[in-house]
Amino acid sequence: MARLYGSRKRILITGGAGFLGSHLTDRLLDLGHEVICVDNLFTGTKRNIDHLHRHPRYEFMRHDVCFPLYVEVDEIYNLACPASPIHYQHDPVQTTKTSVHGAINMLGLAKRLKCKILQASTSEVYGDPAIHPQPEDYWGNVNPIGLRSCYDEGKRCAETLFFDYHRQHNLKIKVMRIFNTYGPRMHPNDGRVVSNFIMQALTGEPLTIYGEGKQTRSFCYVDDLVEGMIRLMDSEDSVTGPINVGNPDEFTIKELCELVLTHTGSASKVIYLPLPDDDPKQRKPDSKLALSLLNWSPSVELAAGLVRTIEYFRWVQANA
């Protein structure tokens, strides 16, 4: 059973040493909760959590969610899974296992404890969407056998498992579809467009645009994303999701490139390469549900968030 003592909760975060997980940890500790961070450090890094090891309400466990875990907690945030194409395509079988076996193990734990569990799903479940922007009731346009399918289909299967546990076992679930998120603690070599552009600009390398740069993305600053995640977890039990959480402001990749060059002051050139297979041409959330059910909308403008992110990558370079 859940073990609530007053307003303080003991909260498990899988993938807690990753980009999103470490920011979520900081926020939950600031709110007065206890946090158990579980991570196998495949893509997460101890650098993201070094500042937490002496915190009296923080605990780190090196563990792979593909194997069962036995802890006593009040809530579970299931964030464990490599999320960038370079990382999740490095070992695609393991990526699918992390999404599917990891979901089964964490759902089993939540069932035993009778506690709420949140799944960090992804906008990738929509594939290369034929509807724009993407509402939650859109079923997607996904290639089930492509290079990205280990992640896309793994996350889709995890959503299936969450809703089947909800229907079959009356489990309290929350499913959040995360759109492109950026900010400090992104992995410098994760292959995502924001980190790619910033690192290329800071090192004087050419900025690589795939295709003509007309494909669009929406970019949500990490603090806004974490706020939406906590609001979803704290919402009424009837609010299961899936709920899109992301910034509805849309930018072309070429516009992002120009912003990065401006705010880094870089003289780097821009080169154009062929578009990768199954790369979505448009990606933007329909965020009406997040606004109506969670009273959530992003507050950090892209330019302001990029400045903070660039400062972080400069620090990484200086301390490499």
Side-chain angles (χ1 to χ4, degrees):
M1 292 290 291
R3 40 156 306 284
L4 288 168
Y5 299 122
S7 60
R8 178 182 292 184
K9 293 178 282 191
R10 181 181 292 170
I11 299 171
L12 171 65
I13 302 175
T14 69
F19 164 49
L20 293 181
S22 62
H23 282 279
L24 175 62
T25 298
D26 285 343
R27 182 66 190 284
L28 292 172
L29 289 172
D30 287 345
L31 291 171
H33 302 301
E34 301 174 32
V35 174
I36 299 176
C37 162
V38 167
D39 205 299
N40 68 352
L41 300 180
F42 173 62
T43 57
T45 172
K46 288 185 176 180
R47 181 174 60 199
N48 290 340
I49 55 175
D50 274 345
H51 63 291
L52 297 172
H53 286 307
R54 294 185 181 274
H55 197 292
R57 288 181 277 107
Y58 176 79
E59 179 182 353
F60 172 74
M61 297 176 62
R62 187 161 185 169
H63 180 82
D64 187 332
V65 296
C66 291
F67 300 93
L69 178 67
Y70 302 97
V71 292
E72 305 297 316
V73 294
D74 303 308
E75 290 178 350
I76 301 169
Y77 288 84
N78 188 38
L79 276 59
C81 188
S84 74
I86 284 179
H87 290 148
Y88 66 64
Q89 291 174 14
H90 172 72
D91 189 344
V93 172
Q94 184 62 30
T95 296
T96 303
K97 284 182 177 180
T98 301
S99 287
V100 177
H101 292 192
I104 291 169
N105 287 327
M106 291 306 107
L107 286 163
L109 178 61
K111 178 188 171 188
R112 178 176 71 82
L113 297 173
K114 297 182 171 60
C115 71
K116 278 192 293 187
I117 179 170
L118 182 146
Q119 168 67 9
S121 190
T122 173
S123 60
E124 296 287 343
V125 300
Y126 298 121
D128 188 3
I131 293 177
H132 192 73
Q134 292 82 57
E136 289 85 351
D137 59 2
Y138 174 53
W139 291 356
N141 177 35
V142 178
N143 177 1
I145 59 170
L147 291 175
R148 302 168 72 103
S149 59
C150 59
Y151 185 67
D152 302 353
E153 297 292 11
K155 290 289 191 176
R156 285 162 70 97
C157 185
E159 287 195 13
T160 299
L161 286 162
F162 265 69
F163 278 91
D164 284 340
Y165 266 78
H166 174 63
R167 287 184 287 257
Q168 188 171 338
H169 302 296
N170 199 31
L171 195 64
K172 297 175 183 178
I173 66 163
K174 308 286 180 179
V175 175
M176 175 179 177
R177 289 178 179 164
I178 298 172
F179 282 69
N180 292 62
T181 305
Y182 70 100
R185 301 183 196 157
M186 294 184 78
H187 196 292
N189 302 310
D190 67 3
R192 299 188 204 188
V193 65
V194 172
S195 50
N196 270 2
F197 281 171
I198 293 175
M199 290 304 294
Q200 288 166 344
L202 292 179
T203 56
E205 297 176 10
L207 273 67
T208 51
I209 290 180
Y210 296 93
E212 298 178 3
K214 294 180 181 178
Q215 64 270 42
T216 64
R217 297 291 185 271
S218 60
F219 300 99
C220 185
Y221 189 66
V222 63
D223 289 355
D224 285 333
L225 192 284
V226 166
E227 175 66 22
M229 188 176 287
I230 292 173
R231 289 192 185 202
L232 176 55
M233 179 64 95
D234 292 344
S235 63
E236 298 293 330
D237 290 347
S238 59
V239 180
T240 60
I243 290 185
N244 293 335
V245 177
N247 196 320
D249 292 338
E250 192 173 13
F251 292 84
T252 67
I253 298 302
K254 193 170 184 178
E255 287 172 327
L256 175 68
C257 176
E258 291 165 355
L259 276 172
V260 169
L261 288 172
T262 296
H263 289 291
T264 57
S266 174
S268 291
K269 306 296 184 185
V270 178
I271 60 173
Y272 293 83
L273 299 175
L275 200 64
D277 288 342
D278 299 328
D279 190 56
K281 297 173 184 64
Q282 291 181 305
R283 187 62 64 70
K284 171 184 172 180
D286 182 328
S287 55
K288 296 187 188 74
L289 271 183
L291 182 60
S292 63
L293 296 178
L294 308 178
N295 193 28
W296 178 89
S297 60
S299 61
V300 179
E301 298 289 337
L302 179 58
L306 282 176
V307 168
R308 300 176 201 174
T309 310
I310 290 165
E311 288 174 358
Y312 170 75
F313 280 115
R314 288 192 196 276
W315 176 85
V316 169
Q317 277 189 312
N319 292 274

